[in-house]
Amino acid sequence: MKKIFFNEVATRDGFQIEPTFIPTDTKVTLVDSLSACGYAKIEVTSFTSPKAIPMLRDADELMGRIRRMPGVEYTVLVPNLRGAERALEAKADELNLVMSVSETHNLSNLRMPMTRSFIVLSEVIRMVNGYTPINVSLSCCFGCPMEGDVAQSAVLDLASRFADLGVRGITVCDTTGMGYPSQVGRMVEALQQRLLQLHPQLQLTLHFHNTRGMGLVNVLAAARGGITRFDGSLGGLGGCPYAPGASGNISSEDAIHMLIAEGYETGIDLNMLLPIARQIPHIVGHEVPGQVAKAGRITDLHTAPAYVEEIRKEWSDAQV
Ligand code: COA
Ligand code: ZN
C-alpha cells in the first residue's frame, strides 16, 4: 500500500478568506483535535501582514497555545523576512515560503514583483540556514486567473532555483482550480524527470482547489503519477483573497476518503476526522462544500425502509 502524507491547511488557507473573525480559542481547539487524527503536517496559520490577512492576525498567540503532538509537523506560511522572524520566534517546525509563478498574481498577493520575492525568500533561506526546514509554495502553477496560461517550464525553472538553494520541499499549487487531469499528469511527470532526478530528496507536494470541480480528479491523477504529499482543507474551505474568483481547497476528508477507497495508506482516522469536519459549518457560520461529512463514508450504510421486507417476502412467496 502506498503511503500518503497529508497536510491539513484549514486554519491557514481555509480560514484566510473567511469574512468573520474566528476566535483564537476556537482555532486552538480545532488544531488540537486535528493533531490526534494522523496528519503528517498541519499548516496552522500565516505570518503575513495583519492588514493583508486580518483573519490570521493572532498567529503568534495561536502558535504559542497549540499542543504539539509528536510526529505531527506544525508549519506556517511566510511571505517575507519579518514573517520568517516571527515564525522562528514561534518555533514553527517548518517555514512554508510563498510566491507566485504569475507576475500579476505576485503583485496582487504580495505587492512586489517576482524578482523581488525571489530575493526576499532567498534571504530568508540564508538566514534560516538549515536550522528549520523550508518548504516553498508556488502559487498559480496550473494557470493564473488574471494572466491565463502559465508555462510548465516557468514552474520547473522556479522550483529548480529554490531546490538549488537547498529547500526541503516544494508545493505546486493550483491556486484557483484551473488545472485538469492530463495537465496534472504532464506536470507530475516533468517534475519527476527534471526536478527529482537532480534533487531526489526533495519533498514534492501538490495543492489543489476545487474551484471548477476538478480537485479530486487532479489528486488522483497526481497520486497515480507517484505524488505522495497533498494539501487539503477540512470542509473544502479556503482560497487566496488576492486571486479573483478563488474558492475552496479540495476537502481533506473527501480526498482522504477517496484515497483510502483507492487503496492508499493515509494514516488518518476518518472516525475521528469526520465528526470534526461536521463542526466546520458551525465554526465558520455557513455551509461548506465537503461531501463525505454530509453523506457518510461508502461503508456507512442505511437501514432499508420497512416496506422492503414485506416486498421481499411477497416476492419470495410468489412465483417470479
Ligand atoms: N508580519 C507582520 N506584519 C508585517 C509583515 C509580516 N510578515 N510584513 C509586513 N508587515 C507590516 C509592516 O510592518 C507594515 O506595517 P505598518 O503599516 O504598521 O508600518 C505593513 O505590514 C506594510 O509593510 P510592507 O513591507 O510595506 O508590506 P506590503 O504592504 O508591501 O505587503 C506583504 C507585503 C507580503 C507583507 C503583504 O502583502 C502580505 O502579508 N501578503 C500576504 C498575502 C497572503 O497571505 N495571501 C494568501 C496566501 S497565498
Ligand atoms: Zn491554496
Side-chain angles (χ1 to χ4, degrees), residues 304-318:
Y307 64 83
V308 167
E309 268 321 300
E310 283 170 32
I311 295 173
R312 198 193 305 279
K313 191 164 180 309
E314 277 169 27
W315 278 99
S316 68
D317 294 344

Side-chain angles (χ1 to χ4, degrees), residues 203-264:
Q203 295 183 358
L204 208 53
T205 302
L206 272 281
H207 173 114
F208 292 111
H209 283 254
N210 196 36
T211 315
R212 293 175 178 78
M214 292 187 279
L216 287 198
V217 79
N218 285 339
V219 169
L220 200 56
R224 287 185 177 163
I227 295 297
T228 59
R229 294 173 191 274
F230 291 96
D231 289 354
S233 174
L234 214 58
L237 295 178
C240 173
Y242 300 102
S247 68
N249 288 70
I250 54 156
S251 142
S252 299
E253 65 277 21
D254 290 2
I256 291 159
H257 176 264
M258 176 190 75
L259 289 165
I260 292 170
E262 286 290 314
Y264 293 90

Side-chain angles (χ1 to χ4, degrees), residues 4-7 38-42 71-74 229 266 268:
I4 298 287
F5 300 85
F6 215 91
N7 176 25
Y39 284 103
K41 215 191 266 189
I42 298 176
V72 183
E73 284 197 344
Y74 298 89
R229 294 173 191 274
T266 65
I268 291 175

Side-chain angles (χ1 to χ4, degrees), residues 79 97-100 103 106 110 112-126 136 138 157-165 167 170:
L97 310 186
V98 62
M99 70 170 283
S100 188
E103 180 73 351
N106 211 72
L110 301 169
M112 62 185 111
M114 290 168 65
T115 45
R116 178 73 196 147
S117 269
F118 187 81
I119 291 168
V120 165
L121 299 185
S122 304
E123 280 170 18
V124 170
I125 295 165
R126 253 192 307 280
V136 181
L138 301 176
D157 288 349
L158 196 52
S160 299
R161 290 170 69 198
F162 279 114
D164 289 342
L165 293 178
V167 302
I170 301 278

Side-chain angles (χ1 to χ4, degrees), residues 12-13 16 46-53 77 79-84 86 98 105 108-112 139 175 239-242:
R12 197 281 296 172
D13 204 340
Q16 71 187 5
S46 72
F47 285 105
T48 44
S49 155
K51 283 185 194 136
I53 309 286
L77 192 86
N80 60 10
L81 209 53
R82 169 101 184 82
R86 292 174 63 204
V98 62
H105 180 245
S108 155
N109 190 36
L110 301 169
R111 311 179 79 83
M112 62 185 111
S139 314
T175 306
C240 173
Y242 300 102

Side-chain angles (χ1 to χ4, degrees), residues 21 44 57 71-72 120 152 167 173 176 183 203 248 258-259 280:
F21 186 75
V44 178
R57 63 178 182 255
V72 183
V120 165
Q152 190 189 75
V167 302
C173 302
T176 58
Q183 183 192 18
Q203 295 183 358
M258 176 190 75
L259 289 165
I280 295 292

